[in-house]
Amino acid sequence: QPHSPTAPQPLSPTAPQPHRRAVSVGQKLLHKNKCFSWPAHVADVSVGLLSSTVSFQVCGGGKVWFQVGDKHDFSVNEDGGVYALHHLNLLGKEKAVLVYAHDLQTKQLVKLMNDLPEMKILFPWRSVVVRGDGTLRRVKRDWVIPPINVPENSRGQFPEDLVRIRSDRDKNRMLRYSVTGPGADQPPTGIFIINPISGQLSVTKPLDREHISNFHLRAHAVDLNGNQVENPIDIVINVIDQNDNRPEFTHSIFNGSVPEGSKPGSFVMTVTAVDKDDPKTANGMLRYKILSQNPQSPSSNMFTINNKTGDIITVAAGLDREKVTQYTLIIQATDMEGNPTYGLSNTATTVIRITDVNDNAPEFTTETFFGEVHENRVNVIVANLTVTDKDQPHTPAWSAVYRIIAGDPTGRFSIPTDPTTNEGLLTVVKPIDYESTRAFMLTVEAENEVTLVRGIHLPRQSTATVSVRILDLNESPEFRPNPKSMRLEEGLSAGSMLTTFTAQDPDRYMRQTIKYSKMYDPANWLEINPANGQISTIAILDRESPYIKNNHYNVTFMASDNGTPPASGTGTLQIYLTDINDNAPHVFPPEVEMCERPEPNALNLTASDPDLSPNAGPFAFELANRPSDVRRNWTLHRLNGEHAQLRLRIGFLASGLYEVPITITDSGNLPMSNTSYLRVKVCQCDHHGDCVDMERIIAAGLGTGAIIAILICIIILLVLVLLFVMWMKRRDKERQAKQLLIDPEDDVRDNILKYDEEGGGEEDQDYDLSQLQQPDALEPECVKVGIRRLDERPLHHDHQYPLRSAAPHPGDIGDFIHEGLKAADNDPTAPPYDSLLVFDYEGSGSTAGSLSSLHSSSSCGDQDYDYLGDWGPRFRKLADLYGGGDD
C-alpha cells in the first residue's frame, strides 16, 4: 500500500455476484496518481474475491479509468478493485493479470502486468511502485484482509474453512497463528478456530444473523518463542442474511373505524408487520395485500391496502352502517418483496367498524296523535309521540328533539324527550281553561341533536299532528277582587253592615249554588251571610287590639258550590282601621325606686297612650289633690309634651312603698284624662345609690321555678339517703343472721391469741384441774354442769363417738382422729358442714387422762417420760429435760 491504508472494499455493485460465499481480499486501486502499486500474488481465488488493488504513486491527479485485460476471469471497478469472476484455483499454475489505467485528463495510458505464481491465500503485501522509468520499487509491508462474508444457517460440514492466513516470514522459521475476539476466545467462544500451523480459519457451527450480524476478530502471527512476527490484522466476518424468518404482525387483530358514507380514498387505518431478517435485503422487505373481505357488500373490494406502508383506504362508495356495521379483512404480509414463490408470508385479521353519521332523520310512527287532559292541570303528560331513527341508538344522531311549530301560541305545552325510548312527552306546562279553549291542534316536528349530513333533508314523516281535547272539571268559585280592601273607623258598633264579598263560579256551563262561610277571624268581629255574602260586625272594632298589625285586620272567607265533587275557594277581606280617641293616657313607668335621701331627688316620667296622634300627645301632667300629703311631699314639673319630672319636697323619706296619683290628659278632639298611681319604692341605698334592703335582694333572687327545682333536688337527695340507710341496715341484719352464735372475739379463725403470760404455773393458779381428768375417775359431785349452748349436743342423746383409752399411746392418735371424723360425718345432730364446730363440750363419758404435764389431782404417781426418746431428734431436748433423772 504505497499511500493509503484504506481498508479492503467489498464487491462493487457493478461486479457480478453469482455466489453468496464470495469473500473479498486484497487492496484497492487508488486513482489519485498516474503511477500504480501492485499487490502480492493470490492463489485459490473465490468468486467475487477482491484479488488485488492498483493505485497511482505521484503523477497528474486527474480522473482515471480502469480496465482489466482478462475480462473472462477478472474485473475492475472504478475504485481500482480487481475481482475474480468465478472460482480460480491458482495452486501449481501461473496467471498474469493485465490492468490498464487511462488518465482522462492527460490522455495518458498506463499498462501494468503482474504474474500470480503459486502462493497461499493471503500473504503480506509486497507493494511496488511503477517509477517514471518503468522500474519497480519495494515499499512498506503490512497485512491486509477484506471482510469475509459467511451465510447464516449453513448446513455444510463443520468446521467449515473460511480463509487461510499466512506470513511470508514462515519460509525462514516456524510461525504460530491465532485469532482473538468475540466468537473466538471471547463469548460466544469457539465459533471460529484457526489452525496454528497452516493458518486456516474455520467456522465450527451455523451462524444466526438475527443473533449476531458480524464478528470482529484479530489475527496474530508469532514465532515459537511467542515473539510477534507480524502486526495483528483485523478480520471482519459478516453474516450474510438468509430468508429464515416469517413476517410477524404487531397485533393478531387490528381494529379500525371509518365513518359511513366516506368517499373513495378515505384513510381507514394502518397495519404493521415486522421481519427479523435484514431489512436492507429482499429477505426483510415486506409487501401487504388483502386476501379476503367479509361481508362482500355492497362490493367485494371496498378497501385496498398500500403494499409497502400497510395503509388501508376505501376504494368504493356505499359504506352504510345501517346495512353493514363492520367489515373483517384478512391481511397478508410477504417478504422477498412479495414474491409468492420464494417469500414467506403471515396473516392478520383487521376489523373495520363503520361509525354512524346522522344520515337518517327521525320519522313519526303515525301522522296524527291524540291526547286529552283535564283543565287547570299542569305537568301532566298528554300524549307520547313515537319516532323511528335508523341511526345508532343513544347517540346524538339518534336522539330526537321535538318542537311545536304551530297550534300553541301561548306556550301551554312542551315536549321533552325520554332519553331511554326517544319518545316525545307532550306535557301541559300552563293551566288550560275549558271555558276558554276546549281543544288544541298542534303541529310537531322532530329533529336530531346534530344536524343531518350534507345532502340529506328532513322527510315529510318528520312532522306530525297532535289533537288535544280539554276535559271540564268543577272549578272552585273565585272571589273578585281577592283580596278585597276597605277602610273603616274603629269603634264601629256590633251589627253594622260593612260590605258584600261575593265569588263567581268559573263553570259557566254548570248551574250551581254558592254558599259563603267564615274561615279565619282571629278576633271574631265579623260574620257573613251564607246566601248573598253580606259582611257585618258582631263586636266593636278596636284598632288597639293585639290582632291588629299595622292598622290592618285580615279575615278569610270561603265560597263553596254544590257541584260533584264540591269545590270551594277562599277570599281575604283586608280592613284598614283608622284611629279615634278612645284610650286615656297613663303614666310610664308604673313603678320606680328612690333612696331615703335621694341625690338627686328627681324622677323622670312619661305618658303612654295607645292612640295615635293627634289623639295622643302632647300631654298635660298634674298631681291629684287627694290624699293631701301628696302635694306636701311631692312636686310635678312638665318638661315637654311627653315627659314630666317628679321631685321630693322633703330631704328624707322613710323606706316603704308609696303611691303617687298623677292625672294625665291627652290632646284629642275630645280630650281624655286618667289618674294613674305611680308606685314609688323608697329604700336604703349604698354609696352607689342602689337599694340594699332585703326586699330588693329577694326580688333580685331566684325565681319561683328555680326555688321549686332546688326543693325537688333536696327531696330526692333525702330519699336517696334514706334508701341507703335502709339498705345498710338490711345488710347488717343479713350478716348477723349468717354469723355464728359465738362471740366474734372467740372465733379463732381470724384472731391472734397471746400466750406470753404463763404465770407461776398451775400450782399458783386457782384452777380445778380435775375437770381435765377422765370423768369416770372423778366423783359425780366433781362434774361441773354449766349452761348448755344451743349448738351443743343434747344431754339426753347418747354419743356415738369412740372412747379413747386411759393410757394413750402416741401411735393411736391418728386412728382416734379418723374415727372421730367418721363419727362426726354420720352424726345427724352435728352442725352443718359450713359451720364452725365447737369442741368445748367434751361430754360426761370421756376416758382421757390428765392433760397436765404436772402431777395433779388424784394422780399421785410419777409420770414416765421415757417414750419421748422414741419420738426422734426433734424431741431430744424435751426428752433430756424430762427423762434425765433427778437433774
Side-chain angles (χ1 to χ4, degrees):
Q1 293 178 335
H3 298 88
S4 174
T6 306
Q9 299 296 318
L11 293 176
S12 171
T14 59
Q17 303 180 34
H19 199 281
R20 288 185 173 274
R21 296 183 60 247
V23 181
S24 300
V25 294
Q27 282 185 308
K28 289 178 59 178
L29 271 174
L30 303 179
H31 49 78
K32 294 181 179 179
N33 310 292
K34 297 179 181 178
C35 304
F36 297 94
S37 64
W38 191 246
H41 306 290
V42 178
D44 193 11
V45 180
S46 298
V47 178
L49 191 66
L50 180 60
S51 302
S52 60
T53 304
V54 293
S55 63
F56 285 107
Q57 175 67 19
V58 282
C59 296
K63 181 69 174 177
V64 178
W65 175 76
F66 297 103
Q67 184 177 3
V68 66
D70 188 358
K71 297 182 179 180
H72 178 71
D73 295 331
F74 297 94
S75 67
V76 61
N77 60 13
E78 61 181 5
D79 294 331
V82 181
Y83 297 90
L85 297 180
H86 53 84
H87 186 80
L88 296 176
N89 188 1
L90 303 180
L91 295 179
K93 302 178 183 180
E94 292 185 2
K95 185 69 175 179
V97 180
L98 181 64
V99 179
Y100 298 93
H102 184 205
D103 190 343
L104 300 180
Q105 181 177 358
T106 62
K107 307 300 182 180
Q108 182 179 358
L109 179 63
V110 178
K111 180 174 68 174
L112 176 64
M113 183 174 67
N114 191 21
D115 294 334
L116 298 177
E118 181 179 357
M119 297 294 293
K120 297 300 181 182
I121 290 181
L122 185 61
F123 208 83
W125 301 108
R126 291 196 174 107
S127 301
V128 294
V129 177
V130 180
R131 298 180 185 272
D133 55 1
T135 63
L136 299 178
R137 179 174 60 89
R138 179 81 176 268
V139 295
K140 182 181 179 181
R141 308 169 66 257
D142 201 358
W143 293 53
V144 177
I145 184 171
I148 302 174
N149 297 328
V150 180
E152 65 173 334
N153 304 324
S154 175
R155 298 184 181 181
Q157 296 181 354
F158 295 98
E160 183 178 353
D161 296 341
L162 299 180
V163 68
R164 294 178 65 185
I165 301 175
R166 186 176 179 184
S167 173
D168 59 352
R169 294 184 178 180
D170 62 353
K171 297 179 180 179
N172 303 325
R173 47 184 166 172
M174 293 292 293
L175 300 181
R176 292 293 182 266
Y177 302 97
S178 63
V179 290
T180 60
D185 61 341
Q186 298 178 17
T189 62
I191 296 179
F192 299 97
I193 60 175
I194 188 170
N195 189 311
I197 298 176
S198 64
Q200 179 67 51
L201 180 65
S202 305
V203 61
T204 62
K205 59 182 178 181
L207 303 181
D208 186 2
R209 190 205 66 85
E210 287 72 36
H211 181 57
I212 300 177
S213 61
N214 55 68
F215 296 87
H216 294 267
L217 306 178
R218 291 177 70 86
H220 306 269
V222 297
D223 58 14
L224 297 179
N225 295 325
N227 299 320
Q228 180 176 306
V229 176
E230 301 283 356
N231 293 329
I233 182 174
D234 291 332
I235 302 176
V236 177
I237 300 176
N238 295 323
V239 182
I240 304 302
D241 184 43
Q242 287 187 345
N243 191 19
D244 57 344
N245 290 280
R246 290 182 178 274
E248 296 290 341
F249 283 93
T250 56
H251 300 87
S252 60
I253 298 178
F254 292 86
N255 292 285
S257 62
V258 62
E260 63 176 330
S262 297
K263 296 180 179 179
S266 300
F267 174 78
V268 180
M269 60 185 299
T270 300
V271 296
T272 304
V274 295
D275 196 317
K276 295 180 181 180
D277 292 327
D278 190 357
K280 297 179 181 179
T281 65
N283 299 333
M285 296 180 181
L286 306 182
R287 295 296 183 264
Y288 302 92
K289 73 174 182 178
I290 299 176
L291 295 181
S292 65
Q293 169 191 308
N294 183 36
Q296 299 181 359
S297 173
S299 171
S300 60
N301 296 315
M302 297 296 295
F303 304 92
T304 186
I305 186 171
N306 187 310
N307 63 347
K308 292 184 180 181
T309 63
D311 294 340
I312 299 177
I313 59 176
T314 60
V315 293
L319 293 177
D320 190 353
R321 190 205 65 85
E322 287 72 37
K323 295 180 180 179
V324 179
T325 59
Q326 71 177 25
Y327 289 88
T328 301
L329 307 180
I330 304 300
I331 308 298
Q332 183 186 61
T334 306
D335 56 16
M336 296 298 293
E337 298 181 300
N339 189 318
T341 304
Y342 303 104
L344 302 178
S345 302
N346 210 339
T347 60
T349 301
T350 300
V351 178
I352 301 176
R353 184 173 54 89
I354 309 302
T355 59
D356 187 36
V357 297
N358 192 16
D359 57 347
N360 293 277
E363 299 180 359
F364 285 99
T365 57
T366 182
E367 295 182 356
T368 304
F369 295 88
F370 298 93
E372 58 183 21
V373 62
H374 290 89
E375 63 174 334
N376 301 324
R377 299 286 180 86
V378 294
N379 298 325
V380 177
I381 298 176
V382 179
N384 289 18
L385 311 182
T386 57
V387 295
T388 58
D389 196 318
K390 297 179 181 179
D391 292 321
Q392 186 174 358
H394 307 290
T395 62
W398 174 81
S399 300
V401 178
Y402 299 88
R403 185 166 56 94
I404 300 175
I405 59 178
D408 184 24
T410 57
R412 298 183 180 275
F413 298 91
S414 69
I415 310 178
T417 303
D418 188 335
T420 304
T421 62
N422 209 27
E423 294 181 350
L425 309 178
L426 181 62
T427 307
V428 180
V429 294
K430 292 182 181 180
I432 302 175
D433 187 10
Y434 171 81
E435 286 70 25
S436 300
T437 305
R438 297 188 181 186
F440 288 87
M441 188 64 68
L442 307 177
T443 302
V444 180
E445 184 181 68
E447 297 177 341
N448 291 122
E449 293 183 358
V450 295
T451 59
L452 293 170
V453 297
R454 183 176 299 180
I456 304 298
H457 302 284
L458 282 176
R460 183 181 59 84
Q461 291 82 359
S462 296
T463 303
T465 301
V466 183
S467 177
V468 180
R469 186 167 64 95
I470 308 302
L471 303 179
D472 190 19
L473 287 177
N474 184 23
E475 300 177 72
S476 301
E478 299 177 356
F479 285 91
R480 296 180 183 176
N482 188 17
K484 183 176 182 178
S485 301
M486 62 181 306
R487 188 182 185 93
L488 297 176
E489 187 179 77
E490 68 169 330
L492 193 64
S493 60
S496 302
M497 204 278 289
L498 301 182
T499 184
T500 300
F501 195 21
T502 59
Q504 289 75 36
D505 193 345
D507 299 316
R508 293 175 296 179
Y509 303 101
M510 300 181 182
R511 295 183 177 274
Q512 299 179 140
T513 303
I514 299 177
K515 292 185 178 181
Y516 302 93
S517 61
K518 184 174 63 174
M519 287 188 62
Y520 178 73
D521 184 7
N524 197 22
W525 286 344
L526 306 178
E527 65 177 0
I528 187 171
N529 189 310
N532 55 24
Q534 290 184 352
I535 299 175
S536 57
T537 62
I538 57 176
I540 298 177
L541 305 183
D542 185 6
R543 192 199 65 83
E544 291 75 29
S545 171
Y547 302 105
I548 301 297
K549 305 298 180 183
N550 298 325
N551 300 330
H552 284 85
Y553 182 70
N554 295 331
V555 183
T556 303
F557 299 96
M558 182 174 66
S560 304
D561 60 19
N562 59 349
T564 303
S568 61
T570 59
T572 301
L573 178 65
Q574 293 182 343
I575 301 176
Y576 182 86
L577 294 178
T578 60
D579 185 43
I580 62 174
N581 192 15
D582 57 345
N583 292 280
H586 59 274
V587 67
F588 184 82
E591 183 175 335
V592 294
E593 291 182 352
M594 179 178 288
C595 298
E596 292 179 342
R597 299 180 184 276
E599 289 294 338
N601 61 356
L603 298 174
N604 293 328
L605 306 175
T606 185
S608 176
D609 194 334
D611 294 327
L612 301 176
S613 180
N615 297 321
F619 300 98
F621 299 89
E622 184 183 5
L623 286 175
N625 296 326
R626 301 291 179 184
S628 58
D629 58 346
V630 172
R631 292 181 176 270
R632 185 171 60 250
N633 296 335
W634 309 90
T635 60
L636 185 64
H637 300 280
R638 185 173 181 269
L639 298 179
N640 52 39
E642 304 291 337
H643 300 85
Q645 192 175 68
L646 181 66
R647 289 181 176 270
L648 188 63
R649 285 179 176 271
I650 57 180
F652 174 79
L653 189 62
S655 299
L657 185 61
Y658 300 87
E659 292 186 352
V660 180
I662 299 176
T663 302
I664 305 176
T665 304
D666 60 21
S667 300
N669 189 13
L670 296 177
M672 296 189 68
S673 299
N674 180 36
T675 300
S676 303
Y677 286 88
L678 178 65
R679 299 182 62 188
V680 181
K681 295 176 64 176
V682 180
C683 58
Q684 297 179 0
C685 298
D686 54 14
H687 63 282
H688 296 294
D690 299 328
C691 290
V692 296
D693 58 316
M694 292 304 297
E695 186 174 326
R696 179 178 177 86
I697 294 175
I698 295 174
L702 298 174
T704 303
I707 295 174
I708 293 175
I710 292 174
L711 292 176
I712 292 175
C713 292
I714 293 174
I715 293 173
I716 293 175
L717 183 61
L718 292 176
V719 170
L720 292 176
V721 172
L722 181 61
L723 291 176
F724 179 75
V725 172
M726 293 176 63
W727 177 76
M728 291 294 294
K729 289 184 176 181
R730 182 175 181 181
R731 191 178 66 171
D732 291 343
K733 289 182 179 180
E734 292 178 353
R735 287 181 178 179
Q736 293 176 1
K738 292 181 179 180
Q739 286 180 348
L740 297 175
L741 297 176
I742 60 175
D743 191 352
E745 295 181 356
D746 296 335
D747 190 358
V748 298
R749 290 176 297 177
D750 54 358
N751 290 281
I752 299 177
L753 304 179
K754 292 182 63 178
Y755 298 95
D756 57 348
E757 295 182 359
E758 297 182 355
E762 294 180 354
E763 295 180 351
D764 297 335
Q765 303 297 329
D766 189 13
Y767 292 146
D768 186 7
L769 298 179
S770 61
Q771 298 298 322
L772 300 177
Q773 304 295 327
Q774 294 186 14
D776 296 343
L778 299 177
E779 290 78 10
E781 60 271 9
C782 294
V783 178
K784 183 178 180 181
V785 180
I787 302 175
R788 185 175 66 85
R789 287 168 45 170
L790 295 176
D791 58 343
E792 291 179 347
R793 188 189 307 275
L795 294 178
H796 63 274
H797 187 273
D798 294 336
H799 65 82
Q800 299 178 0
Y801 296 95
L803 299 179
R804 191 181 175 203
S805 62
H809 189 272
D812 66 350
I813 294 179
D815 298 334
F816 175 77
I817 293 175
H818 287 293
E819 292 176 2
L821 178 61
K822 183 177 181 180
D825 293 338
N826 298 325
D827 188 358
T829 61
Y833 293 125
D834 57 349
S835 299
L836 181 63
L837 299 179
V838 182
F839 298 95
D840 57 349
Y841 175 75
E842 296 183 359
S844 59
S846 177
T847 59
S850 174
L851 298 179
S852 175
S853 63
L854 303 177
H855 181 71
S856 59
S857 186
S858 60
S859 176
C860 299
D862 294 334
Q863 296 187 18
D864 186 8
Y865 299 102
D866 294 337
Y867 60 87
L868 293 177
D870 300 334
W871 287 5
R874 296 185 179 181
F875 297 90
R876 181 172 300 172
K877 186 65 176 177
L878 186 62
D880 293 341
L881 292 176
Y882 288 90
D886 296 338
D887 294 338

